[in-house]
Amino acid sequence: SVILNANGFDDLLTRYDYIRRIEQNDTDVAVRVRDLRDQTRATVKRVSAERDTIAARKAELERTQTELESRQGALASARSDQQSALSQVKSSASNLEGDVSKLQNQIAAQIAAAQAAAAQPSTSGSATVLPAGPVGAQSSQGFIWPVNGPVVSPFGPRTLNGAYEFHPGIDIAVPSGTPIRAAADGTVILEQPDASSGGYGNYTCIDHGGGISTCYAHQESFSVSVGDHVQQGQVIGLSDCTGYCFGPHLHFEVRINGQVTDPLPYLP
């Protein structure tokens, strides 16, 4: 229609060139639209893939957050349990320190009372003397070692489980069931069972006269009774870990007029 309505040859050529340019422009537009369509599809695919990746990472983060919250709850519970256990340990340690202090005063008072009565003749029967075996060398004060073993905790200040305390005797490491022998002749003036002795466990005290007495703690069992006269080297009980202790041993004390003193100078 455009060509047929041309007014002459020159107008025909002009109209033909115009139509050709329109056709070329339409082709260019179609190419650009196709390219934009392909780019849009590629963008949609990329966005979809990134969206899936983000969703996966979000789910992973949520799982991680849930796991962390669970761990935090477990840690908080464990911390609470530890604090409760620590409070119980501190309370037990405080009660034990009070019991030991009270027991020390009780021992001193009972020893003093028994020594005051020691001058009176005893009417109780003598104890059965178990086979004593070799007694060992005597010290210049006339004492022998009650058991044969290394001293694992000496007399005096020490730190136990991070807490300062005064150790009123020496700890001699020996296996459970080791015979405990009287360090010298004397009279049994005190015998206390584990249930009522605080940290000492089963223990026995012997008066040797002249204000000197010895005590033997953490025993497994007793072989003598209060009022019995014992001979040096006589078995008075068996060692163990009754009361407050961390392993079988004998806690051995020397007391002067009821007051504790270092036992080592009295031993050979």
Side-chain angles (χ1 to χ4, degrees):
S1 168
V2 172
I3 292 175
L4 291 177
N5 291 328
N7 295 322
F9 186 72
D10 290 338
D11 187 34
L12 177 63
L13 292 177
T14 299
R15 291 186 178 214
Y16 174 75
D17 182 63
Y18 178 72
I19 291 173
R20 186 180 58 81
R21 289 183 181 182
I22 291 176
E23 182 181 3
Q24 182 64 41
N25 186 66
D26 289 343
T27 302
D28 292 342
V29 170
V31 171
R32 287 199 300 273
V33 169
R34 185 172 59 249
D35 291 343
L36 289 174
R37 181 197 61 193
D38 294 341
Q39 291 177 7
T40 300
R41 288 178 178 175
T43 300
V44 169
K45 289 182 180 179
R46 186 173 66 253
V47 169
S48 178
E50 291 179 353
R51 181 182 59 196
D52 294 340
T53 301
I54 291 173
R57 290 182 177 177
K58 182 179 179 181
E60 182 180 357
L61 287 174
E62 290 176 350
R63 288 195 300 270
T64 302
Q65 182 178 3
T66 302
E67 183 179 354
L68 287 175
E69 291 175 351
S70 176
R71 290 184 178 181
Q72 287 177 346
L75 287 174
S77 177
R79 186 180 300 113
S80 177
D81 292 343
Q82 289 178 348
Q83 290 176 347
S84 176
L86 180 60
S87 298
Q88 292 179 358
V89 169
K90 288 181 177 179
S91 177
S92 297
S94 177
N95 292 337
L96 182 60
E97 289 175 358
D99 290 342
V100 170
S101 177
K102 181 179 179 181
L103 181 61
Q104 289 282 351
N105 294 333
Q106 178 185 354
I107 292 173
Q110 290 177 333
I111 288 176
Q115 288 174 338
Q120 310 250 344
S122 175
T123 58
S124 58
S126 60
T128 301
V129 178
L130 301 179
V135 173
Q138 288 187 357
S139 66
S140 58
Q141 287 83 1
F143 285 80
I144 64 169
W145 283 87
V147 290
N148 183 19
V151 176
V152 293
S153 184
F155 176 85
R158 67 176 180 179
T159 300
L160 189 62
N161 288 337
Y164 170 84
E165 69 172 15
F166 187 87
H167 191 216
I170 60 174
D171 289 343
I172 309 171
V174 288
S176 295
T178 299
I180 303 171
R181 306 181 187 279
D185 295 349
T187 301
V188 178
I189 57 173
L190 188 62
E191 189 174 87
Q192 198 80 10
D194 182 18
S196 58
S197 67
Y200 272 57
N202 297 322
Y203 75 95
T204 302
C205 292
I206 301 173
D207 177 28
H208 304 289
I212 301 178
S213 58
T214 54
C215 295
Y216 313 76
H218 306 306
Q219 295 177 227
E220 174 188 284
S221 60
F222 302 109
S223 300
V224 293
S225 301
V226 173
D228 289 346
H229 179 76
V230 296
Q231 300 172 3
Q232 186 178 66
Q234 178 181 332
V235 175
I236 64 170
L238 302 178
S239 67
D240 197 21
C241 187
T242 57
Y244 182 65
C245 68
F246 299 98
H249 70 279
L250 171 66
H251 174 84
F252 177 67
E253 294 181 0
V254 172
R255 292 174 174 263
I256 306 298
N257 295 322
Q259 301 303 314
V260 293
T261 187
D262 189 357
L264 290 179
Y266 290 83
L267 297 173

